Amino acid sequence: MHSVTIIGFIVIFVAYFLFIGIYLRKRRGIKSLGGSIFLKDRNLLGIVLEAALFVGFVCALIAINMKDDGAGISLTARLSPFAALFFLQTLFRGIGEWRAHREEQRYWYEWSASLTVLSAFTLLLILEG
């Protein structure tokens, strides 16, 4: 992994933690909620969708690693199911929070995490290809 990629990751994650720490918590006063899949105020569709994403992730991971014992597959291709899983889970959790608790604005935590994962994977895709 190149040093530019590592510096890019550091910049992305520092920006994320500054955004949630300073802007969301201190300036806007938005409290975060734990990230459990079985929170009492989650709807059944959100839980089923998240479980389906996890099953799809496991199938994709097995398919990538079983092909020729993983030989010749780049790091980006190996990490793509992880990136897709975390991006889609946080995106859909944010949409569920937005629909259910719009006034509390907790969805900003999920959407910023989703954007961070997407940015980090895009950086890895561009620089490490």
Side-chain angles (χ1 to χ4, degrees):
M1 191 173 296
H2 297 93
S3 60
V4 175
T5 307
I6 294 170
I7 291 170
F9 283 150
I10 291 170
V11 167
I12 288 171
F13 288 109
V14 165
Y16 169 72
F17 287 115
L18 288 176
F19 176 75
I20 65 168
I22 293 175
Y23 183 70
L24 291 181
R25 287 188 185 133
K26 299 213 189 260
R27 290 198 129 200
R28 305 238 1 228
I30 301 172
K31 303 286 184 215
S32 68
L33 189 62
S36 174
I37 188 174
F38 299 111
L39 289 174
K40 64 180 179 178
D41 59 347
R42 299 255 338 250
N43 62 2
L44 182 62
L45 179 63
I47 294 172
V48 168
L49 183 63
E50 201 163 325
L53 282 171
F54 183 75
V55 169
F57 157 75
V58 170
C59 291
L61 197 61
I62 289 171
I64 285 174
N65 288 319
M66 294 300 282
K67 183 179 180 180
D68 299 329
D69 294 330
I73 298 176
S74 70
L75 175 66
T76 306
R78 287 179 186 253
L79 291 178
S80 61
F82 289 108
L85 172 74
F86 294 128
F87 171 72
L88 291 174
Q89 274 187 338
T90 54
L91 181 70
F92 290 141
R93 278 186 192 172
I95 291 171
E97 283 290 321
W98 179 70
R99 290 187 69 219
H101 306 287
R102 194 174 295 181
E103 66 282 347
E104 295 175 21
Q105 297 181 347
R106 295 185 305 212
Y107 53 86
W108 283 107
Y109 284 98
E110 300 296 335
W111 287 350
S112 61
S114 181
L115 182 64
T116 301
V117 169
L118 182 65
S119 300
F121 183 71
T122 303
L123 179 75
L124 184 66
L125 186 65
I126 290 171
L127 296 178
E128 298 292 325

